[in-house]
Amino acid sequence: MGELTEKNDALEAMVAALKKQIIEHKGEFAIYKVSLGNRVLAVAPMPKYFPAKGIMDDATKVINGVKRKWIKTEVDLDNHVIVQQVDTQMESPSQFIEDYISNLTTIPVDSSKPLWELRILNLKTPEAEAVAILRIHHSIGDGMSLISSLFACCRKSSDPVALPTIPMQKQTDRPRNRRGVLWLLLSVWSVLRLILNTLVDISLFMATILFMKDTKTPLKGLSGVEHNPKRIVHQTVSLDDIKLVKNAMAVTVNDVILGVMQAGLSRYLNRKYGKVDKSKSNNLPGHFRLRATVLVNIRQAIGIQAIADMMKKKSKAKWGNKLGFICFPFTIALRLDPLDYIRQAKTIADRKKLSLLALCTYLINNCVVKLFGSKVSSCLAYRIFFNTTMSISNVVGPVEEISFFGHPIAFIAPTVYGHPQALIVHFQSYINKMSIVVTVDPNVIPDPHLLCDDFSESLKLFKDAIILNNSVIANSN
């Protein structure tokens, strides 16, 4: 009896301690909510869409005699900042967070309030002490806009009152001596190539909208894939390794990323097709079409910008969705030299850079919205996404550690869902790390972690090949 009483007293003490901890956390998170509200209001000026609700539908100008529009409203942070009560002692917090986020992809954003929410899960994972999930409707802004707003809400970890340093992207140096017949001939040839490439790309783009589809592969989603729950996973690789490959091959970070994508997808699909005949090392079909829809920032000012600059009337980096589309073809094959993936990706990327397709698609979409409404525009965008296999995006992140209300950020893993595709890949840099974020339809791609491993393993093969080549050159000298 005495032993039972001791156990009961111990249990009551544990419950009391737990209640005290919950009260303390609630008070702490209440302070965070007030701070969040004050900081958002202190950032001048913030986009009008954060304190607004309701999504425009320009195709239907009047409903019941009332024009549909954004409605300015008061922001009640209790409706936007959600502290999820969870068991902090669970065995697999990473799996719980993955399942939790997957469930969120089945719940539409509530349009009766401003279209964003912040969910806090006080769960320790191998990467971080806790996880914050920021869900924002894409109508508010694109990746550049939202990362800029994140910058505005964060501070340097090294200086709690200083805003993060805006990462600067180097402009390509161009020769100043533009004289002579040779320069004139080269300029004329470049303009002709630009026009020709743009016409060819627009023709292929229109063909994709009308009839040209990617080949059915283990990565291609079926009709209605946009309504299925999504599984979102990420893996962190070294940004220094990417830069090592970039510098050794005299390419860009984007070229290396596209090479990683091409190599990783080839490894993954070879394994999938190999389930039929395991006796062969190369199980890939002879030829098939696999393209990625690449979202391109068409702003004059490249890279992340200060949010105050984005709000200016004549800003070269205007807030909003300033995106164009290009379709990037991947060649799926097994290469003896892994660096051939990067070489081929660079060749295609350089060809795409000498084209105005991204700007043309942005302007065409604006004209369609103004003339026919957003429903027609969304139908055209649907055709582009559905007829290609996947989407990819790369956003430059902070170059130094930043903190969110005093809490150092361990990683940033952005993604989107709702596209009629079974695979979406985002690359997000942060300090000396690169997050590879993979969003899949698990009915089509049941093993997203394995796909992430293929991407990271491809980067490792690139790095090993560079080191081997350098050692061979050194020995020959």
Side-chain angles (χ1 to χ4, degrees):
M1 190 70 178
E3 184 179 353
L4 183 61
T5 302
E6 290 178 0
K7 288 184 177 180
N8 186 51
D9 293 341
L11 182 60
E12 288 181 355
M14 184 177 68
V15 171
L18 183 59
K19 286 182 177 179
K20 182 180 179 181
Q21 186 177 10
I22 291 174
I23 292 172
E24 289 176 352
H25 279 309
K26 283 185 176 179
E28 186 178 352
F29 285 124
I31 294 172
Y32 293 159
K33 287 181 181 180
V34 173
S35 300
L36 178 62
N38 291 337
R39 184 166 294 180
V40 168
L41 293 174
V43 176
M46 281 297 289
K48 64 180 180 180
Y49 307 109
F50 278 98
K53 61 182 180 179
I55 302 176
M56 246 54 47
D57 183 0
D58 294 328
T60 307
K61 291 294 184 183
V62 178
I63 296 180
N64 296 329
V66 179
K67 183 178 179 180
R68 302 188 73 177
K69 60 182 181 180
W70 291 93
I71 303 171
K72 190 171 183 179
T73 184
E74 294 294 328
V75 176
D76 183 358
L77 288 179
D78 288 330
N79 294 330
H80 294 273
V81 182
I82 302 165
V83 181
Q84 192 71 44
Q85 297 299 323
V86 294
D87 178 13
T88 57
Q89 303 300 321
M90 65 176 63
E91 293 183 0
S92 181
S94 297
Q95 186 61 47
F96 173 84
I97 292 171
E98 188 178 312
D99 294 338
Y100 183 87
I101 296 175
S102 179
N103 182 63
L104 283 180
T105 65
T106 66
I107 305 172
V109 178
D110 186 0
S111 60
S112 65
K113 62 183 181 181
L115 306 177
W116 64 274
E117 64 181 23
L118 175 65
R119 294 174 178 265
I120 299 173
L121 280 71
N122 189 30
L123 276 177
K124 186 176 181 179
T125 69
E127 289 186 278
E129 294 295 324
V131 175
I133 304 167
L134 183 59
R135 194 161 68 130
I136 305 176
H137 198 282
H138 216 310
S139 61
I140 291 180
D142 56 18
M144 292 294 181
S145 299
L146 300 180
I147 288 292
S148 296
S149 65
L150 175 65
F151 267 50
C153 292
C154 294
R155 297 293 183 267
K156 293 181 181 180
S157 294
S158 58
D159 186 355
V161 298
L163 286 167
T165 303
I166 302 297
M168 302 299 294
Q169 293 190 351
K170 295 181 180 179
Q171 298 283 358
T172 304
D173 293 331
R174 298 185 179 183
R176 295 183 179 180
N177 296 326
R178 301 180 179 181
R179 299 177 182 178
V181 177
L182 180 60
W183 177 86
L184 180 61
L185 291 175
L186 290 176
S187 299
V188 172
W189 173 239
S190 297
V191 172
L192 290 176
R193 287 181 61 195
L194 181 69
I195 295 173
L196 179 61
N197 290 344
T198 302
L199 291 175
V200 171
D201 287 346
I202 290 177
S203 300
L204 292 175
F205 188 82
M206 297 305 298
T208 301
I209 292 177
L210 296 173
F211 60 86
M212 192 167 69
K213 298 181 180 180
D214 281 8
T215 307
K216 181 70 178 75
T217 67
L219 299 173
K220 186 79 170 68
L222 300 176
S223 179
V225 65
E226 68 273 16
H227 303 301
N228 297 337
K230 300 300 184 293
R231 178 104 6 209
I232 301 171
V233 302
H234 78 278
Q235 191 167 129
T236 301
V237 297
S238 171
L239 182 59
D240 292 334
D241 288 349
I242 294 176
K243 291 181 178 180
L244 171 68
V245 177
K246 172 188 82 78
N247 295 331
M249 297 191 67
V251 297
T252 66
V253 169
N254 282 338
D255 294 333
V256 178
I257 287 174
L258 291 171
V260 167
M261 291 288 300
Q262 199 158 231
L265 294 174
S266 298
R267 290 169 58 91
Y268 182 84
L269 287 174
N270 185 60
R271 187 187 306 108
K272 285 294 182 180
Y273 285 115
K275 291 182 178 180
V276 179
D277 184 1
K278 297 183 179 180
S279 62
K280 298 188 298 182
S281 59
N282 188 346
N283 302 283
L284 295 171
H287 176 74
F288 56 87
R289 182 185 297 116
L290 193 157
R291 295 171 298 167
T293 302
V294 184
L295 305 177
V296 180
N297 173 29
I298 55 88
R299 297 173 175 87
Q300 289 182 325
I302 60 177
I304 302 299
Q305 305 294 320
I307 195 169
D309 294 336
M310 299 185 78
M311 294 298 105
K312 293 178 181 178
K313 289 184 178 181
K314 296 184 179 180
S315 173
K316 293 183 178 181
K318 200 73 174 175
W319 175 280
N321 285 284
K322 308 295 181 181
L323 296 173
F325 300 100
I326 65 171
C327 295
F328 192 94
F330 285 121
T331 301
I332 304 302
L334 298 183
R335 307 288 185 190
L336 294 177
D337 182 359
L339 298 180
D340 284 342
Y341 290 111
I342 299 178
R343 296 186 184 102
Q344 187 174 40
K346 174 178 171 53
T347 300
I348 300 174
D350 289 346
R351 154 69 178 76
K352 294 293 182 182
K353 290 174 185 176
L354 198 61
S355 170
L356 298 176
L357 177 63
L359 179 60
C360 289
T361 55
Y362 172 77
L363 296 175
I364 290 171
N365 181 64
N366 279 353
C367 291
V368 170
V369 171
K370 292 178 181 178
L371 295 175
F372 306 105
S374 58
K375 283 190 175 180
V376 175
S377 171
S378 63
C379 287
L380 296 179
Y382 181 94
R383 295 286 298 176
I384 288 295
F385 285 115
F386 182 71
N387 288 340
T388 54
T389 300
M390 59 180 294
S391 293
I392 57 177
S393 178
N394 174 34
V395 178
V396 179
V399 295
E400 60 196 346
E401 185 180 73
I402 59 176
S403 296
F404 188 66
F405 300 103
H407 295 274
I409 293 179
F411 67 92
I412 305 171
T415 190
V416 298
Y417 61 92
H419 290 183
Q421 293 174 324
L423 175 61
I424 300 172
V425 183
H426 280 73
F427 289 81
Q428 174 68 59
S429 65
Y430 178 48
I431 317 176
N432 60 347
K433 300 177 289 186
M434 178 73 80
S435 293
I436 305 176
V437 190
V438 175
T439 301
V440 304
D441 178 354
N443 298 320
V444 180
I445 306 172
D447 46 6
H449 290 283
L450 192 58
L451 183 56
C452 278
D453 291 339
D454 286 331
F455 291 143
S456 61
E457 182 62 25
S458 296
L459 177 60
K460 183 177 182 299
L461 290 175
F462 295 164
K463 178 184 176 182
D464 292 343
I466 292 296
I467 295 175
L468 179 62
N469 290 346
N470 290 340
S471 64
V472 169
I473 294 173
N475 291 334
S476 62
N477 291 337

